Amino acid sequence: AQTVTQSQPEMSVQEAETVTLSCTYDTSESDYYLFWYKQPPSRQMILVIRQEAYKQQNATENRFSVNFQKAAKSFSLKISDSQLGDAAMYFCAYLEDSGGSNYKLTFGKGTLLTVNP
Amino acid sequence: SAVISQKPSRDICQRGTSLTIQCQVDSQVTMMFWYRQQPGQSLTLIATANQGSEATYESGFVIDKFPISRPNLTFSTLTVSNMSPEDSSIYLCSVSTSGFTDTQYFGPGTRLTVL
């Protein structure tokens, strides 16, 4: 079974600074997708960024960017110019085609990000 | 992305009872999913709800405990049956508008407490 590992249970960053959240995954597939979701205290899961495994270019969404290393099976999230509203639990997720018409999204355990003013 | 709503947003239930959670989407979607998030934990997929066919359950989840309906392309329900305190969790539905390549978007979740 595919696994997603987030080795940092908690991270903190000063407002306006940059922070990087780590994620590694295990798979034997060559075609898959990777995501970062954030979950603030409201518990709503919000998509931050998405990366297709076949693309070598790292995905970027405004202040959020990833460092995708396919050979190393690493997918880290960099948040630049951190804002108080970035404080949340961040989940790394892996999407595989689990067969037939079903698609399984596997999550890491999450990293709790605190932003200090 | 689709707008997803869930009802109820939270509930407190007695053990041995059942609760049905509704998930409504503002547009037709191909896939609907149900996840459980136990306190302080990550999300675990319960099942995939397919319109016109039976739901597909993940290992450790059974239809008798978590029956799912998907009557059309915009609506699904998850029932948590014969509840025990161990069922206290956040239950989230998610949707993808097409197939494998599509991103899953999540509803706001239902916080369930079983006494």
Side-chain angles (χ1 to χ4, degrees):
Chain A
Q2 278 71 10
T3 57
V4 178
T5 302
Q6 295 179 248
S7 59
Q8 306 152 316
E10 298 183 21
M11 291 283 284
S12 64
V13 63
Q14 291 296 125
E15 197 175 3
E17 297 294 310
T18 296
V19 64
T20 298
L21 308 184
S22 301
C23 173
T24 59
Y25 58 94
D26 181 29
T27 184
S28 57
E29 302 293 327
S30 60
D31 191 13
Y32 53 88
Y33 296 79
L34 297 164
F35 305 87
W36 280 97
Y37 286 89
K38 66 181 281 189
Q39 187 179 40
S42 68
R43 74 175 180 262
Q44 173 85 54
M45 290 287 287
I46 302 167
L47 176 69
V48 175
I49 202 164
R50 157 193 165 114
Q51 175 78 45
E52 292 84 354
Y54 63 84
K55 289 186 178 179
Q56 292 186 340
Q57 186 174 6
N58 290 324
T60 299
E61 286 289 343
N62 301 315
R63 298 183 293 108
F64 299 87
S65 61
V66 298
N67 182 6
F68 174 48
Q69 301 289 329
K70 190 172 184 179
K73 298 179 183 176
S74 171
F75 182 61
S76 61
L77 174 69
K78 185 172 79 171
I79 306 174
S80 303
D81 186 26
S82 297
Q83 301 176 359
L84 295 177
D86 295 333
M89 181 71 85
Y90 284 79
F91 291 99
C92 177
Y94 165 94
L95 178 63
E96 63 165 307
D97 179 354
S98 54
S101 60
N102 299 316
Y103 309 104
K104 182 178 174 68
L105 191 58
T106 302
F107 287 87
K109 291 186 180 297
T111 297
L112 180 62
L113 178 66
T114 302
V115 181
N116 301 310
Chain B
S1 63
V3 177
I4 307 162
S5 61
Q6 283 186 234
K7 291 182 180 179
S9 60
R10 60 177 61 219
D11 208 340
I12 300 173
C13 301
Q14 298 296 319
R15 70 167 64 214
T17 63
S18 298
L19 176 72
T20 295
I21 302 168
Q22 300 179 2
C23 180
Q24 179 74 55
V25 192
D26 69 340
S27 59
Q28 293 185 346
V29 296
T30 305
M31 310 294 291
M32 297 184 78
F33 307 86
W34 287 98
Y35 289 82
R36 182 176 73 181
Q37 186 177 25
Q38 295 178 300
Q41 301 297 314
S42 185
L43 281 73
T44 301
L45 180 64
I46 298 172
T48 302
N50 301 309
Q51 196 271 335
S53 62
E54 288 189 2
T56 302
Y57 289 83
E58 296 297 307
S59 176
F61 298 96
V62 295
I63 187 171
D64 290 346
K65 176 67 175 178
F66 297 101
I68 288 171
S69 77
R70 176 90 190 270
N72 55 51
L73 293 175
T74 64
F75 186 78
S76 178
T77 66
L78 168 74
T79 298
V80 186
S81 303
N82 188 24
M83 289 183 285
S84 67
E86 291 71 34
D87 294 319
S88 297
S89 296
I90 297 171
Y91 292 87
L92 301 103
C93 73
S94 74
V95 306
S96 64
T97 57
S98 59
F100 172 57
T101 61
D102 195 34
T103 297
Q104 289 185 28
Y105 295 95
F106 285 80
T110 295
R111 183 182 295 275
L112 171 62
T113 301
V114 183
L115 303 178

